[in-house]
Amino acid sequence: MPIIESRIDTGSASYKANYAAMEKLVADLRAELKKAREQRSEKAIARNRELGKLTVQERLDRLLDRNTPWLEIAPLAARGMYDGGVHGAGARSGIGLVCGREVAIHASDPMIKGGTVYPLGVKKSLRLQTIAMENRLPTINLVDSGGAFLPMQSEIFPDVDDGGRIFYNQAIMSKMNLPQITAVMGLCTAGGAYIPAMSDHVVHVKGTGAIFLGGPPLVRAATGEEVTAEELGGAMVHCAESGVSDYIAEDDAQAIEIVREIVEMLPPARKGDFPMREPKDPLYGAKEIYGIVPEKLSTAYDVREVLARMVDGSEFQEFKQLYGPTLVCGWAHIHGYLFGILGNNGVLFSESSLKATQFIQLCDRQGIPLLFLQNINGYIIGREYERGGITKDGHKMVNAVATATTPKFTVILGASFGAGNYGMCGRAYSPRFLWMWPNARIGVMGGEQAADVLVTVKNDQLAREGEQPLPEEFVAAIRQPIIETADKEGNAYYSTANLWDDGILDPAKTRDVVGLAMAAAANRPLEPRQQGHGTFRM
């Protein structure tokens, strides 16, 4: 494949300014991740120690194969929400190697509100189950939870995507023959009791693990019966009498050993036959991306410069290079896996939309995974472009993205606005994984544009009524709140707190994360190719 020749001057003032700005964003990201992993109250730490439990990090360290990567999912979920202390929505989730096999792991954290489940904790559980189903991964649950956070039960219980969906998914995953292993390491209360009950294998820790539909306070209130958690649903009850649990463990450490032994006995994974070759490092350093991406989203740059620092050997076979130049399409390898890559170099015109449609069809027919690198303000607008068919040409691209069955992955490098988010495989278009960079912004449109639109609409209304346009002080009063709201709700941290993405990435680590995600996705073999993308409006 041809090699991308970088034209970046790493000694220039603009490069150094960009580098410093991104370096600051990455430092802030690391601080947020550290806070989410480690900030726990002294009381919670002491209580965990008193009960002889391992911390959630210690559990993960013992469960995962040593010195292997951990692809964490939504580590900053619920950031700044509730009382600001429900880090990671109360759990750690991700994909890691256990006995040499990729598995999806969900570990509740008892040092955050006793492991109680908040609305976004439900959403995070469902997201991990979706990942497990889409990529055909076994699932391990490390349960230590006091059940639903009752003051918010109306946001947790009744709807189609609330708590009950977790157990529905467990039934579907069982039907799909996806192994589910649960270690009961603390309370497993109310609906949460169905997590082990619906699993294939249940390991139960003596003394701390307890499964029951109604805990001692509820039993006392409902029946007057006085009973301890251990008497009601401890390891001996469920291993020796009820049969809910299968293996008894003396402590957390032994429970994790048993879980690893169960994983080792699982049938071997059947990896999909995706195009691969020996991996190569890029010719340019990954951290140079810091100096390439401008601090201001409105400043243009060439996405090929990012690709040169992401793909194997900096090699890229570009497709239709001279046609539709605002969208770069082509083939490259990342950690040995062949990808079809689409990266924005401006707004999408009819030509770039048609180019994307053809390219996606080619990749889908050949079973080549797609990687979308978003930095997009949307599709071109205006009288000339509407007459030229931008709406129907954009529809072809959106249709092709939606109906492609090959694995899709998305990284938002900068802007992700309007229908451009759709055409470049935003969350609604079911990429297997989606991440953002810390500088990224997402929304229907930017704050300035949204404010201008609303002011224009109001002035047009006044003109129709024979009134004068809004005075400047009224315009400012309308514009400022809109801009502030867009800035707040469009930034990467707001997105990741709400689980609109799978996490914020250090740009320099994007190559490795994409490679890990593709390795996980390969656990689902390619299905027979189904040609066709629905109706294309000609």
Side-chain angles (χ1 to χ4, degrees), residues 130-335:
T130 298
I131 288 170
M133 288 188 282
E134 286 183 341
N135 300 291
R136 304 297 190 266
L137 298 173
T139 300
I140 296 171
N141 294 297
L142 305 182
V143 182
D144 194 343
S145 169
F149 182 64
L150 293 178
M152 302 187 78
Q153 61 176 313
S154 65
E155 298 178 46
I156 295 170
F157 176 69
D159 209 348
V160 66
D161 55 355
D162 284 340
R165 194 71 177 189
I166 294 171
F167 318 124
Y168 172 91
N169 283 346
Q170 283 192 268
I172 299 300
M173 291 161 73
S174 182
K175 186 176 180 180
M176 293 170 67
N177 197 25
L178 298 178
Q180 298 173 73
I181 304 163
T182 293
V184 180
M185 311 179 93
L187 295 180
C188 197
T189 307
Y194 290 112
I195 293 175
M198 300 187 75
S199 296
D200 299 295
H201 300 273
V202 180
V203 183
H204 201 137
V205 179
K206 278 174 65 175
T208 56
I211 303 170
F212 32 64
L213 294 178
L218 182 57
V219 170
R220 188 184 311 116
T223 69
E225 183 181 4
E226 293 287 345
V227 64
T228 67
E230 187 69 16
E231 292 168 338
L232 186 61
M236 289 306 296
V237 171
H238 288 306
C239 287
E241 298 181 50
S242 76
V244 169
S245 302
D246 307 310
Y247 313 88
I248 195 165
E250 292 294 326
D251 55 22
D252 285 5
Q254 188 183 18
I256 290 169
E257 286 179 17
I258 296 170
V259 170
R260 286 182 56 85
E261 289 164 1
I262 294 167
V263 173
E264 200 163 22
M265 292 188 297
L266 295 177
R270 290 174 55 242
K271 291 270 189 170
D273 186 19
F274 292 95
M276 285 194 73
R277 71 176 192 188
E278 279 297 310
K280 297 180 188 176
D281 290 333
L283 299 182
Y284 309 96
K287 278 199 169 184
E288 289 183 5
I289 293 173
Y290 293 3
I292 292 166
V293 177
E295 185 175 3
K296 292 184 178 180
L297 290 184
S298 57
T299 304
Y301 67 95
D302 189 348
V303 73
R304 296 177 187 87
E305 296 288 356
V306 173
L307 289 173
R309 290 148 181 88
M310 275 183 57
V311 303
D312 290 6
S314 302
E315 297 173 5
F316 183 62
Q317 182 65 58
E318 190 160 350
F319 175 74
K320 288 185 181 291
Q321 182 176 0
L322 302 179
Y323 183 77
T326 58
L327 184 68
V328 175
C329 300
W331 292 274
H333 293 80
I334 297 176
H335 281 286

Side-chain angles (χ1 to χ4, degrees), residues 103-119:
V103 295
I105 300 167
H106 186 78
S108 46
D109 191 337
M111 292 194 292
I112 298 176
K113 314 295 184 183
T116 52
V117 181
Y118 283 70

